[in-house]
Structures are given as structure tokens and as C-alpha cells.
Amino acid sequence: MLTQTAVKTVVSIQNLDHFFGSGNLKKQILFNVSLTLKQGEVVILKGPSGSGKTTLLTLMGGLRSPHSGSLKVFDQELVGSGKNRLVKIRRNIGYIFQAHNLLNSLTAKQNVQLSLELHPEFSPKEIQQKSIEILESVGLGDHVNYYPHNLSGGQKQRVAIARALVSHPKMVLADEPTAALDSKSGHAVVDIMHQLAKKQGCTILIVTHDNRILDVADRILELEDGILIK
């Protein structure tokens, strides 16, 4: 259990604005967003379609550059930062998407290994061992050599969770991770994500419309028309 004094700020956002397009087509997507995420907490971000939830998640994840205000991730300012800093930030973040984004030509184990291959400190033997261990921890110990087309929707999403968490990231960003799953599978997937991340002490942000999983959150935030409602 993390003590109060040990809890670090993972994300600090102040007065963040973001736009799409330029000139006459320029449209503001996020308006004066301020938000703090702490180490080890699970936060759910909800809101209607088109409210800017995924945009905010991709900005936090260093997948696109924020325009104005301040967005610090792991004490690094991302507003005005270059490509190299964004790449460095991304190495400490696990991503889970609605469509799971598994490579169909690779087994479950090989899909997970891809995440570790970005970290040169691990030997090939360690990469294989860690990949098997994380798949066992999400209940797929008997499916490590299965290809995605032989896995159910819930199993594919468990592989995606394993891939996101295997490198012990400081933060996990999940965009609608249960949207394609039934109620039982969806809650099981989020419970696994929650348990593993708590064990590793990392922060989780889940963007969702799914009211069935709200009970896993330490905090629930709402974004409406690009404005954060706390």
C-alpha cells in the first residue's frame, strides 16, 4: 500500500486547450482542461461521443502534441516538446484500445513480447519468460501459443492487457476497453487490469461509456463538449 507521502503526481494538466484543423476549418476540441492523476489510482473518464475523451487520452499518452496550456507527464512538459521526448514518454505508458490491435500473424505470447522488445535491458530469455508469466496472470496460461483468430473477444482483450502491463509501465491508458465485450467479460477484463496495475503501482485512466465498470474507479470524471466536469 502506498503511503500518502509516497504518492507521486503522474499527470499534471493546467489550462489545456487543443484544436483540430487550421484556418477557417480550425475547431477547438478541449477547453481549459485542468486535471491531476496520482500514482496508483484508477480514474474513469466518461462523457458523450465527440466530447474529446479520446483526444485527451492521446495527448496524455504522447500520441499527439498538445497546443497550449501545460501538460506534464512524469514531470516532463509535453506542450511544445519534440518527437524524441514524446517517444521517451511513450515507453513508460501501456495502451489498451477497444479493437485490441493484436497482430493476427503472431501468437498471444509473440504479441506480448513485442512490447518488451522496445526495452533493450531485457534479454530474449527474459522477454519470453515475462511474456508467459503475464499471460498466466490474466488467465491465459493455456493459450500462450494461440493466434488471435482462435481467441474469444474477452481473451483477445486479456492479451492486450498483458501486452500493456508486461513492461511495468508507470501509466496505462485504456480507450473503451470493454465496448465490444458482454457484461461478464467486460467486468472481468477491467478487474484484471485493476488488480495487476494496483500490484504494480501504476496509474490507470479508462475512457468509457460503460456504466457497468464504474465500481472499479477511485475517481470518475466527465468530459462534455471539451470541458472537464469534476
Side-chain angles (χ1 to χ4, degrees), residues 9-21:
T9 297
V10 175
V11 176
S12 177
I13 303 174
Q14 297 293 328
N15 310 119
L16 181 70
D17 294 325
H18 193 73
F19 306 83
F20 284 157

Side-chain angles (χ1 to χ4, degrees), residues 13 27 37 62 72 119 121 135 140 157 196:
I13 303 174
K27 181 182 179 183
L37 300 182
K72 292 182 179 179
H119 298 265
E121 66 269 24
L135 284 166
L140 292 176
Q157 202 62 302
L196 288 177

Side-chain angles (χ1 to χ4, degrees), residues 12-37:
S12 177
I13 303 174
Q14 297 293 328
N15 310 119
L16 181 70
D17 294 325
H18 193 73
F19 306 83
F20 284 157
S22 59
N24 293 333
L25 298 177
K26 188 175 183 180
K27 181 182 179 183
Q28 189 164 356
I29 303 298
L30 298 175
F31 297 81
N32 199 34
V33 172
S34 294
L35 169 66
T36 300
L37 300 182

Side-chain angles (χ1 to χ4, degrees), residues 32-53:
N32 199 34
V33 172
S34 294
L35 169 66
T36 300
L37 300 182
K38 298 290 188 180
Q39 179 185 5
E41 71 173 338
V42 178
V43 177
I44 282 181
L45 179 63
K46 54 182 295 193
S49 296
S51 59
K53 301 186 304 297

Side-chain angles (χ1 to χ4, degrees), residues 199-212:
K199 184 178 177 182
Q200 295 181 8
C202 80
T203 302
I204 311 178
L205 177 70
I206 302 173
V207 166
T208 188
H209 286 101
D210 191 348
N211 290 330
R212 302 169 300 182

